[in-house]
Amino acid sequence: SGAVNVEQIDSGQYGDIVGTRRVLRDSSAYADFWAALHADRDSLPERPSVDFATEVVVAVVMGERPTGGYTVTVDDALADPQGGGIQVRFTETMPGDECEVTQAMTSPYVLATVAAQSEDITFAGSEETRTC
C-alpha cells in the first residue's frame, strides 16, 4: 500500500464532542463539526483552511478521559493498491502510572487533512502508554 499525504491541522485536549472518527468531505460539514468541537468556548477559534477539491478532513476525538495526559495523533494514511480506499492510522496515548497529570476531565482530539476525494476512508487505531 502507498502512503497518502497527511497534514495535522488542529489538536487539543478539550473537544466538546463525544468520541468519534469522522471524514469531512466539504466546507459545510467541516464548519458544523468545527463549531460543535469548540462549542464550550466563549469564541470560536479560526478554522484552518482546507482545499476540498483535493483533500478531506479526518477527525479523531477520543471522548472523555478522567485526567490530563491523554493525546491522539494521526500517524499516516495508506492507499490500498487495489483501489480499496484509504486507511487512516492513529495512536491514542495514555499517561503511565508515574505521570503527573491535571485532575480535570479532557477529551483529546486531532484533525488532519488527507489527500483524497471520493475514496472510502477507514480508521485503524492503536494505543500506547507513555512513561514519565
Side-chain angles (χ1 to χ4, degrees):
S1 49
V4 176
N5 190 39
V6 175
E7 182 181 342
Q8 183 175 307
I9 58 173
D10 189 41
S11 65
Q13 292 296 306
Y14 301 102
D16 202 33
I17 292 178
V18 176
T20 190
R21 297 170 189 134
R22 297 269 301 273
V23 179
L24 309 167
R25 296 187 180 275
D26 60 55
S27 58
S28 176
Y30 177 40
D32 290 348
F33 187 87
W34 185 262
L37 184 66
H38 298 291
D40 64 335
R41 300 203 184 167
D42 291 336
S43 63
L44 195 60
E46 186 173 337
R47 234 177 23 251
S49 64
V50 175
D51 179 4
F52 285 100
T54 60
E55 56 195 8
V56 298
V57 174
V58 294
V60 179
V61 183
M62 287 178 71
E64 254 183 21
R65 298 298 187 258
T67 65
Y70 291 84
T71 61
V72 60
T73 56
V74 171
D75 303 318
D76 57 25
L78 300 174
D80 181 333
Q82 276 75 43
I86 296 172
Q87 182 180 70
V88 173
R89 299 190 305 184
F90 65 94
T91 302
E92 295 182 353
T93 304
M94 298 163 269
D97 292 339
E98 303 300 315
C99 297
E100 291 186 29
V101 295
T102 60
Q103 297 303 306
M105 299 286 275
T106 60
S107 182
Y109 67 90
V110 62
L111 300 173
T113 56
V114 175
Q117 291 178 307
S118 60
E119 294 89 347
D120 288 334
I121 296 178
T122 59
F123 293 87
S126 62
E127 293 182 348
E128 66 181 28
T129 300
R130 183 170 44 93
T131 56
C132 295

